[in-house]
Amino acid sequence: MPDLCRTGVDLSACNTLALPARATSYARIVEAAQLATPEFAAQRRFILGGGSNLVLTGDFEGLVLHMAIPGRRLLSEDADAWYIEAGAGENWHDFVQWTLAQGWPGLENLSLIPGTVGAAPIQNIGAYGLEVGERFHSLTAWDFEKRAFLTVDRNRCRFAYRDSLFKQEGWHLSGRLAITQVVFRLPKAWVANLRYADVAQELATRKIAVPTPREVADAIVAIRRRKLPDPAETPNAGSFFHNPVVDATRAATLAANYPGLPCYPQPDGRVKLAAGWLIEQAGWKGKRLGPVGMYEKQALVLVNHGGATGADVRRTMAAVQAAVREKFAVDLTPEPIFI
Ligand code: EPU
């Protein structure tokens, strides 16, 4: 199927930071069988989803496979749960809203996260007290090395904060696997997850004491719209850095020096800090360097004010990291991948 490919394709509309780059060749994948095209296995590849966690640093010398496999259905159900399958190319937010409309709650806290279903497990997307790994059942992927489809169950995925087997093995960078379908397990015994203070507060403001899944979703959509820029208007890639996790002693010292420092104790005894707070305190909220800056309502979000390149992103990223390191001696690591 070599005619699947186009050459010299402009990727600026395929990444939410709107960075300019061209791919030597490009194919839009709408069914899993297309991945078995022999020519694909021999080339340097990048598997592209919604491009919402991506920094394009220049032209991509190789093949970009743009995952657009559609489909969503109830696969099965048992006494305890619904098992829902979705194609890798489905838009994440639309998929979540569809599950709610079908009466299958459980993903509502992940409403309005940009990107695709197939990308969700790779960085174990998370927000408002839920990570996708908690609702993940299994996935199917094409393995370009073995030239076969494989199924990966939840217990093999090594999900952690913004991390998984797929990242740990570097497959998101090497293009070894292309995820084609994901199955979610949504427990029938639903309880609203209001662990995140902002959600409980938003529902209280709306005078909702016992929320439905739809009401939780609506509250989260409202919070996100207030805080986070819409990539269609202000190009961005969501949180640009991970929230750093430090040992308890270090967190206690920082908290003593900086009252107000948000600290989230982790199950392993370490403490997660809020990168957005550190960046704001380091003077970078709403500040820019050339065309790239940190968003004025959420300092953790790096935005392209217009015409930026990957090099501009790197420059601002390095300046923010240096400012936070100098003030707090904390290293920030970027969340998006650089290609
Ligand atoms: N904060 C500031 N100044 C800022 C931003 C945040 O002081 O400019 C403080 C807030 O007041 C709060 C704390 O930092 O005390 C945490 O802020 P927020 O609740 O906005 O969440 P976050 O830690 O900045 C994380 C995720 C988001 C996710 C939200 C909600 C990461 C890297 N980011 O952000 O995920 O939506 O929690 O759960 O873990 C993403 O990954 O792209 C993303 C948007």
Side-chain angles (χ1 to χ4, degrees):
M1 282 182 267
D3 54 349
L4 258 179
C5 289
R6 287 157 51 204
T7 52
V9 171
D10 176 12
L11 299 175
S12 50
C14 303
N15 73 102
T16 62
L17 268 168
L19 300 173
R22 281 186 184 276
T24 317
S25 61
Y26 167 101
R28 191 175 151 81
I29 301 299
V30 293
E31 47 179 296
Q34 292 170 324
L35 294 166
T37 304
E39 292 80 1
F40 291 176
Q43 297 182 58
R44 178 179 176 226
R45 288 175 305 278
F46 179 65
I47 315 294
L48 176 67
S52 56
N53 198 42
L54 177 63
V55 178
L56 290 170
T57 56
D59 290 345
F60 184 75
E61 310 279 332
L63 168 67
V64 168
L65 295 173
H66 198 170
M67 299 305 292
I69 298 173
R72 46 196 196 188
R73 62 180 174 135
L74 175 67
L75 200 61
S76 63
E77 69 181 291
D78 57 25
D80 301 326
W82 294 284
Y83 297 83
I84 320 291
E85 185 189 71
E90 290 286 332
N91 172 275
W92 175 261
H93 175 69
D94 292 347
F95 169 65
V96 172
Q97 304 315 296
W98 173 80
T99 57
L100 294 174
Q102 304 301 310
W104 305 320
L107 294 172
E108 57 282 350
N109 288 47
L110 305 179
S111 291
L112 215 62
I113 295 184
T116 57
V117 165
I122 296 174
Q123 71 147 339
N124 187 18
I125 58 169
Y128 303 103
L130 182 71
E131 290 179 342
V132 79
E134 297 171 64
R135 299 284 181 268
F136 177 94
H137 176 267
S138 58
L139 61 75
T140 307
W142 173 255
D143 183 334
F144 286 93
E145 268 178 33
K146 297 204 169 123
R147 298 197 42 76
F149 286 101
L150 60 113
T151 300
V152 186
D153 295 331
R154 183 174 186 268
N155 56 14
R156 279 187 57 204
C157 284
R158 296 191 224 137
F159 286 123
Y161 170 61
R162 295 294 190 274
D163 201 17
S164 71
L165 164 78
F166 312 99
K167 275 179 82 174
Q168 291 153 21
E169 298 293 334
W171 294 333
H172 62 316
L173 297 173
S174 68
R176 168 158 176 188
L177 291 187
I179 294 168
T180 55
Q181 275 91 17
V182 183
V183 178
F184 300 90
R185 180 183 183 278
L186 305 182
K188 290 184 174 174
W190 181 82
V191 273
N193 172 350
L194 308 179
R195 269 176 273 172
Y196 210 85
D198 282 4
V199 182
Q201 211 173 345
E202 178 70 21
L203 288 163
T205 309
R206 295 170 174 227
K207 306 208 179 338
I208 298 169
V210 185
T212 63
R214 180 75 263 157
E215 287 169 333
V216 174
D218 290 346
I220 282 163
V221 166
I223 298 168
R224 289 188 75 99
R225 288 223 163 100
R226 272 202 302 271
K227 278 195 183 176
L228 300 168
D230 178 353
E233 286 159 23
T234 309
N236 74 88
S239 296
F240 197 80
F241 298 101
H242 294 119
N243 280 330
V245 181
V246 300
D247 66 50
T249 323
R250 176 108 190 75
T253 312
L254 280 168
N257 289 338
Y258 299 99
L261 174 87
C263 290
Y264 311 100
Q266 300 299 291
D268 64 2
R270 295 188 302 156
V271 177
K272 193 189 272 182
L273 306 176
W277 189 92
L278 300 173
I279 295 167
E280 179 173 351
Q281 298 302 312
W284 267 91
K285 190 173 191 167
K287 182 170 164 175
R288 54 195 273 187
L289 177 61
V292 176
M294 305 311 286
Y295 190 52
E296 74 265 16
K297 293 186 206 151
Q298 221 300 9
L300 188 49
V301 178
L302 177 143
V303 296
N304 172 2
H305 289 289
T309 63
D312 295 319
V313 171
R314 277 197 195 281
R315 204 170 305 123
T316 299
M317 174 181 86
V320 172
Q321 286 171 317
V324 168
R325 198 177 302 121
E326 190 181 331
K327 191 169 169 86
F328 300 104
V330 170
D331 286 323
L332 295 181
T333 55
E335 195 182 89
I337 59 172
F338 287 65
I339 291 293

